[in-house]
Amino acid sequence: MQKEYVFYDTVGIDFPLDEAIELVKSPCNGDFLVSNNPDAEAIIYAPEINFYLQQSRDTIAQKINNVTKLYAIRGLGFDFAQDMDYSQEVGNKVLIVTDDESLEALKAELRDEDFTVMLLSPSAILDVNGHIGALHVTLKKEDELLELECDQILWWNAPIFAMKQSGVYDPALLGLEGALKKLRDNKGEYHYKNYINYDPSICQYHERRVEVCGKCAEVCPTVAILKEDETKHLAFSHIDCHGCGGCISVCPSGALDYTQMPRIAFSHLSDYFKGSTALIIPHKMDLSLIDIPLREGVLPLMIEGEKYLHEAHLLNLLQTSGNPIIFYTDFISKGTGDVIRILNEIFEKKYHKKAIYVCEDSADLARIFEGLESFPECMYGINEDGLRKREIFSARLSHLVDGEDLGVVKTGEHVHYGDIKINESNCTLCLSCVGACNVRALTAHPEDNSLRFNASICTNCGYCEVTCPEKDCLTVIKDEISLKPSWFSQRVMAKDELFTCLECGMPFATVKAVEKIAAIMTPLFGNDEVKLRTLYCCAACKPKVMFKAHMENENKGLSL
Ligand code: SF4
Ligand code: SF4
């Protein structure tokens, strides 16, 4: 049977590899899925395999086992990936934006390569729209506004609005050669993927009357997520998406998921880290710069979108591995940064140990290795299949809290948790808030006419507060996780008896709701006893009462 994994041995390893891995001694291009070396042409090149073998202090037996895991982790990512491939035609029109006239030579060089080149001063450009292969530039010439179309743009020190568009490259950031390589590689056809999966049914922006969320669009560094304010629909432009995952880490509801490593795939992946310390390294980091030995039990985990990890991912990895996590990265996103602080505070309160370390060079990493302490007592597994982000985090955190009262942890600017308060004397149990809550944090319970709330799955969006028709009734408490059992369970927020219809005896509304409507309508109905009686009747009996009274009056009139 064709093996999926290939190990191209350039160093002469002196121990056997698992039988799932084909050992080759020269470059090859078999139909392999994962390789340790780009010359063993597989679909996925996993540089962390050689890195681990060269740097790890694990025993030979551990290495044999762990190398197999590293292949399997990559294979799992491939099997679960939900991305699709797309392409966009890219013509040869390039706009160079600069005031540097010495770039005439570059213009000539590009023309020789069959590019059509235009030069513009940055001061002439007002706006850039569209995407790679179809960019629209608005410019000012004297008092006139003009539109110019091009496929790609080379812009030295480009402003933020321009850098948000796909197809705009800044040689001041990429180096001239790097930027030119982009132009050349993209010419003809540009290939891209969808990195984001979106579930509007739990989105806190989608079709709401007022805007209570939009975090994803706020943190997106490009124009890949746009809010259509009129309809309250999110528009995703996959061609503009870099796949960084920043939106996923801040999405409170879990409406966004990463197609390269969906939540459920990550849950399976973390099983490979049982008993190991995960050293998370974004792909963009240069492994050759980590020149210290890896402490025994440390296993690299290379991730694509360096920003997509959120609290449910990281708590899963901590509780499955029983060890801290180390992030080796030069950048932590706003969402992931908030989550790291929150989890560290929680682990300090519970285990008096740090959960997640962040470093960006070997010296820092060596220091972290010296102080690493595991916490096997935190290990916990759940089946995450079918669960949403908040439900996963709630189940895991509740187990960690384990009946204690560990106080409160403040959440942050980008990660929101909280609670609500209901003034029961003002609540008529109209259940508008239940209809407003799309994550089932607020629920109606007909068995005892109660309104219940589970704080741990509430996204703190505040839409229930906006929707509640009563005054001084529902208040959202912002930005804190209460580490005690009641925060994780359904609490009764308001409860009432049912009022029975004066005519048919069927219960039809809560006592408070009937009393409230009666209090408003009684002065309007004056002494009209029939109308007053209808206030205490169900919808079916109201017209009957009115009709009966009408007929009686008619009959009286006739008999007179
Ligand atoms: S962050 Fe999530 S819940 Fe909020 S608008 Fe974006 S997709 Fe919707
Ligand atoms: S309970 Fe209120 S604040 Fe919490 S998610 Fe539901 S609507 Fe939003």
Side-chain angles (χ1 to χ4, degrees):
M1 201 178 85
Q2 167 73 46
K3 292 181 181 177
E4 285 194 307
Y5 308 145
V6 60
F7 185 86
Y8 174 20
D9 185 12
T10 51
V11 287
I13 55 164
D14 52 2
F15 54 84
L17 292 171
D18 187 276
E19 57 183 21
I21 306 167
E22 181 87 32
L23 186 73
V24 297
K25 296 281 183 188
S26 52
C28 65
N29 58 0
D31 291 328
F32 295 108
L33 178 63
V34 185
S35 77
N36 68 318
N37 188 307
D39 291 334
E41 288 176 16
I43 296 171
I44 300 164
Y45 162 47
E48 68 273 24
I49 296 172
N50 280 0
F51 165 73
Y52 167 75
L53 282 172
Q54 283 153 11
Q55 304 294 122
S56 176
R57 281 194 175 151
D58 281 343
T59 62
I60 298 289
Q62 286 167 328
K63 282 188 176 176
I64 295 170
N65 192 19
N66 283 339
V67 165
T68 314
K69 285 185 187 174
L70 293 177
Y71 277 98
I73 288 168
R74 289 301 193 119
L76 182 141
F78 180 83
D79 290 343
F80 277 87
Q82 294 171 354
D83 55 327
M84 311 257 283
D85 290 317
Y86 301 93
S87 62
Q88 162 72 38
E89 212 177 288
V90 179
N92 62 353
K93 280 191 210 145
V94 172
L95 173 66
I96 299 181
V97 185
T98 179
D99 279 327
D100 184 351
E101 286 172 9
S102 67
L103 288 171
E104 281 298 329
L106 172 65
K107 201 170 157 187
E109 182 187 329
L110 287 171
R111 279 188 180 144
D112 286 347
E113 292 179 40
D114 204 23
F115 281 104
T116 301
V117 185
M118 299 162 276
L119 265 175
L120 266 183
S121 161
S123 59
I125 299 181
L126 297 179
D127 201 6
V128 182
N129 280 303
H131 54 73
I132 184 167
L135 287 163
H136 309 286
V137 181
T138 310
L139 45 115
K140 196 175 64 184
K141 199 169 177 208
E142 284 148 20
D143 280 342
E144 236 184 309
L145 287 186
L146 300 173
E147 286 284 322
L148 182 143
E149 298 202 343
C150 62
D151 295 289
Q152 303 188 74
I153 300 176
L154 213 55
W155 189 334
W156 271 261
N157 300 309
I160 292 169
F161 75 85
M163 287 305 288
K164 287 184 170 217
Q165 307 292 332
S166 55
V168 181
Y169 302 107
D170 184 348
L173 295 176
L174 298 171
L176 182 56
E177 270 320 303
L180 289 175
K181 183 171 181 330
K182 295 268 185 202
L183 295 190
R184 291 170 184 137
D185 289 352
N186 296 338
K187 194 168 82 165
E189 209 163 31
Y190 174 75
H191 297 273
Y192 63 100
K193 290 175 183 292
N194 62 319
Y195 286 99
I196 307 297
N197 264 350
Y198 172 56
D199 175 1
S201 72
I202 53 169
C203 170
Q204 304 298 12
Y205 178 79
H206 185 72
E207 294 185 355
R208 298 229 141 152
R209 279 183 289 111
V210 289
E211 183 172 333
V212 290
C213 193
K215 285 251 142 235
C216 50
E218 274 167 39
V219 301
C220 178
T222 72
V223 288
I225 308 179
L226 293 176
K227 293 181 291 177
E228 289 172 357
D229 284 337
E230 291 263 299
T231 56
K232 297 283 190 303
H233 282 179
L234 289 182
F236 290 83
S237 170
H238 295 305
I239 196 168
D240 289 302
C241 173
H242 294 169
C244 70
C247 54
I248 297 162
S249 66
V250 298
C251 175
S253 60
L256 301 177
D257 202 7
Y258 197 54
T259 58
Q260 305 288 293
M261 183 59 74
R263 213 152 42 229
I264 190 63
F266 193 89
S267 153
H268 291 297
L269 173 153
S270 64
D271 284 341
Y272 290 110
F273 287 85
K274 224 167 250 171
S276 300
T277 297
L279 172 61
I280 301 179
I281 311 171
H283 278 273
K284 60 174 187 173
M285 299 301 284
D286 184 352
L287 288 178
S288 68
L289 296 178
I290 305 179
D291 54 4
I292 57 157
L294 291 187
R295 189 184 141 134
E296 198 176 323
V298 172
L299 201 57
L301 168 60
M302 293 211 77
I303 56 166
E304 167 98 34
E306 71 278 10
K307 303 178 183 174
Y308 78 90
L309 296 173
H310 54 60
E311 62 272 28
H313 291 124
L314 294 175
L315 188 55
N316 176 337
L317 201 46
L318 289 164
Q319 288 187 323
T320 309
S321 68
N323 280 292
I325 295 169
I326 308 171
F327 252 108
Y328 179 82
T329 180
D330 57 2
F331 182 82
I332 287 283
S333 74
K334 293 166 180 166
T336 309
D338 266 3
V339 166
I340 291 174
R341 178 191 57 74
I342 292 163
L343 285 173
N344 275 337
E345 281 185 31
I346 293 171
F347 272 65
E348 287 287 354
K349 279 176 182 282
K350 178 74 184 189
Y351 305 112
H352 311 291
K353 288 176 190 161
K354 193 165 171 173
I356 303 169
Y357 296 82
V358 181
C359 63
E360 62 173 303
D361 59 39
S362 293
D364 272 357
L365 188 56
R367 267 192 295 279
I368 292 169
F369 283 160
E370 277 169 28
L372 273 190
E373 282 184 275
S374 59
F375 25 70
E377 62 276 32
C378 89
M379 288 175 86
Y380 180 56
I382 56 168
N383 179 1
E384 296 189 354
D385 215 353
L387 295 183
R388 296 163 172 179
K389 167 182 168 176
R390 295 250 159 174
E391 290 164 343
I392 296 167
F393 189 65
S394 165
R396 291 190 167 280
L397 192 57
S398 162
H399 180 267
L400 183 150
V401 168
D402 191 23
E404 290 186 63
D405 183 349
L406 299 173
V408 166
V409 169
K410 288 282 171 200
T411 58
E413 193 189 340
H414 303 285
V415 175
H416 298 283
Y417 281 84
D419 210 331
I420 64 167
K421 265 194 321 203
I422 288 187
N423 179 352
E424 201 179 348
S425 57
N426 289 356
C427 173
T428 54
L429 280 152
C430 73
L431 305 181
S432 301
C433 55
V434 174
C437 181
N438 61 1
V439 293
R440 299 194 299 262
L442 275 162
T443 42
H445 294 263
E447 66 277 15
D448 64 352
N449 306 311
S450 68
L451 168 67
R452 298 187 201 179
F453 175 66
N454 182 339
S456 65
I457 56 172
C458 161
T459 64
N460 221 218
C461 72
Y463 197 52
C464 50
E465 187 175 325
V466 176
T467 307
C468 177
E470 303 301 333
K471 260 197 172 167
D472 305 324
C473 185
L474 193 161
T475 317
V476 172
I477 301 164
K478 292 272 181 195
D479 294 333
E480 58 181 44
I481 294 175
S482 178
L483 298 166
K484 58 183 179 192
S486 59
W487 196 75
F488 299 94
S489 54
Q490 269 189 345
R491 279 148 40 202
V492 173
M493 307 303 288
K495 199 173 167 180
D496 199 2
E497 298 300 316
L498 282 185
F499 192 91
T500 49
C501 172
L502 292 185
E503 285 291 306
C504 67
M506 290 285 286
F508 68 97
T510 62
V511 171
K512 278 188 196 164
V514 173
E515 282 172 352
K516 186 179 172 200
I517 292 168
I520 296 168
M521 299 308 290
T522 299
L524 302 177
F525 290 167
N527 294 329
D528 188 332
E529 284 183 11
V530 177
K531 281 188 178 169
L532 288 173
R533 186 173 175 81
T534 62
L535 292 172
Y536 303 94
C537 296
C538 69
C541 290
K542 273 184 212 298
K544 287 186 200 159
V545 171
M546 295 298 288
F547 188 70
K548 193 173 150 204
H550 174 75
M551 291 309 291
E552 280 170 6
N553 283 339
E554 290 271 305
N555 290 339
K556 271 186 209 156
L558 278 177
S559 61
L560 279 176

